[in-house]
Structure formats: C-alpha cells, structure tokens
Amino acid sequence: MAEKKYSRSDIEEMPKQFRRNFVNCLSGYKSVGLCGTINMEGQTNLSIISSMVHIGADPSLMGMVMRPHVVERHTIENIDQTGFFTLNHISESFFKKAHQTSARYPREESEFQAVGLTEEYGELVPAPYVKESPLKLGFQFKERHRITTNATTFIIGQLMEVILPEEALGDDGFIYLEKVGSLTVSGLDRYHRASPINRLTYAKPDRKIKEI
C-alpha cells in the first residue's frame, strides 16, 4: 500500500469537513458512550461522547473533552449545576439512537425521549443512566480544565457506581467487553464491533510475554 505524507500546512489547507473527518480518525479506535445529565429543574440530557479516557484507578477517575462553550452546552451546564454525570456504553442494539443524540435538541426536549431511550436511576448518582446500556458508570464531578489552545474543556469525574452483567466480570477484576457487547468508534461516525485477540501477561524486563 503506497504511503502519502501530509504536512501541517497540508492539513490546515484541507476543506473544513474533510479536515474534520481526517483528524478525528488519526487517534484510532476510540471509546464511545452516552453521557447522561440532569439539571436542577429535573430536565434530563443525553449526549454521545467519543473522548472518554481513563485517568487513574486509585482514586478511580475518568475524563472527557467537551467542545468550546461558546453556545449552549447542556451537558456541561448540567454537570456544573448538579455535580454528577453518567457514562453508558453503547451496544449494537441501539447505536443509531445513540448517534442521534448528537443532534442539537432544544434544552426543554430530552434526548432520551427524542431518540427513544429509557432513563434509569441508581442509588448513588442522581444523574440518569441509559437503561438499554450494558455497562453503566456513575460519576461525581471533580475537576475541569480549560485547554487554551482550542478553548475545549476537560472534565474529570470520580467513579461512584458501576452497573454491569455479572458474567462479564473475570475473577481478577478484568471486564470482558466483548461479553458486554460494547462498541467502539473511529472518526465521528463509523461504529465497530470489538473482536478480542488475547490478553497478555504484565510486562517485565526479565520475563517473556505470555498469553493469558
């Protein structure tokens, strides 16, 4: 397969939509989920997120990038109000509905109702989960950081609650996402099924890697 090189100036001169697709694919396959929030008036919101990242296990932290807050951003505004949010894995049974949440609905119209997904509530987090989701995570807001280069916001939450199928959890704490049915995404709009190869042992200089 022939290679082609692109410089910074090449990328900056690409048509806007082409550049958007091109750059969004460069980070490879990404985690994708639905972020559930609620405001102080009880209005719920649901938005698709493809920037979820693991930050640490002790304490258990995850983060996500939010687009510049130059227009109404219901997700970040709700998190500011209540201090809680959920992240819900997406499965093949409802990925089209999940994708539709990226549309700009008015504040008074909940994406749950607009796309046909179901609100569900846990015991420790007041924000709504997606009932249809096979793996649900509840967070309390901890930090926000403004990325000055492009005015995006990095939100950090501490894990408060996990809801998942018992059969997907291994004896050593490993979660077999293929049993959960979680999808992944490349770019902004191409969804993928996860197909495992194998787990490998912890890497050390004096040990040979083995399959688990």
Side-chain angles (χ1 to χ4, degrees):
M1 187 178 295
E3 289 185 338
K4 186 172 182 179
K5 296 182 180 179
Y6 294 88
S7 67
R8 174 181 171 180
S9 59
D10 292 332
I11 295 170
E12 290 175 348
E13 291 171 4
M14 291 175 176
K16 182 178 180 180
Q17 187 62 41
F18 186 96
R19 183 176 68 247
R20 183 185 177 200
N21 287 330
F22 182 84
V23 174
N24 268 282
C25 287
L26 297 179
S27 58
Y29 298 112
K30 298 175 286 187
S31 298
V32 63
L34 289 169
C35 182
T37 60
I38 190 170
N39 64 18
M40 297 300 291
E41 288 72 46
Q43 177 67 49
T44 59
N45 179 264
L46 193 62
S47 60
I48 195 162
I49 302 289
S50 62
S51 60
M52 302 183 299
V53 293
H54 164 83
I55 296 176
D58 187 17
S60 302
L61 302 173
M62 286 182 63
M64 56 184 178
V65 178
M66 311 301 293
R67 288 181 294 175
H69 198 179
V70 293
V71 297
E72 282 191 346
R73 299 289 185 203
H74 303 155
T75 296
I76 196 169
E77 291 165 11
N78 290 354
I79 293 173
D80 285 344
Q81 283 190 29
T82 67
F84 291 93
F85 62 95
T86 70
L87 290 173
N88 305 265
H89 283 221
I90 297 169
S91 66
E92 194 169 352
S93 63
F94 65 94
F95 80 102
K96 291 180 182 178
K97 293 180 179 180
H99 187 78
Q100 182 61 27
T101 66
S102 62
R104 291 187 178 181
Y105 292 96
R107 181 184 298 277
E108 61 274 10
E109 184 175 6
S110 172
E111 286 81 1
F112 280 97
Q113 283 73 49
V115 306
L117 293 172
T118 311
E119 297 174 21
E120 184 175 75
Y121 292 87
E123 298 178 359
L124 301 177
V125 174
Y129 293 105
V130 177
K131 183 177 181 179
E132 292 82 358
S133 173
L135 177 53
K136 308 172 180 69
L137 312 173
F139 294 88
Q140 183 175 19
F141 167 77
K142 283 297 177 184
E143 299 179 32
R144 65 186 293 171
H145 300 274
R146 187 174 185 272
I147 301 171
T148 56
T149 303
N150 65 354
T152 55
T153 301
F154 189 62
I155 297 289
I156 299 174
Q158 182 163 2
L159 187 64
M160 301 294 289
E161 189 173 40
V162 177
I163 304 170
L164 79 164
E166 186 175 358
E167 60 271 20
L169 182 61
D171 292 338
D172 63 351
F174 188 85
I175 299 173
Y176 291 86
L177 295 178
E178 67 273 16
K179 294 183 179 181
V180 174
S182 300
L183 299 184
T184 185
V185 70
S186 60
L188 295 168
D189 51 22
R190 187 170 179 82
Y191 296 84
H192 305 262
R193 303 182 188 94
S195 178
I197 300 172
N198 217 329
R199 293 181 67 189
L200 300 176
T201 52
Y202 189 82
K204 290 189 175 183
D206 59 345
R207 290 187 187 177
K208 186 178 181 180
I209 290 291
K210 295 181 180 180
E211 294 185 352
I212 301 175

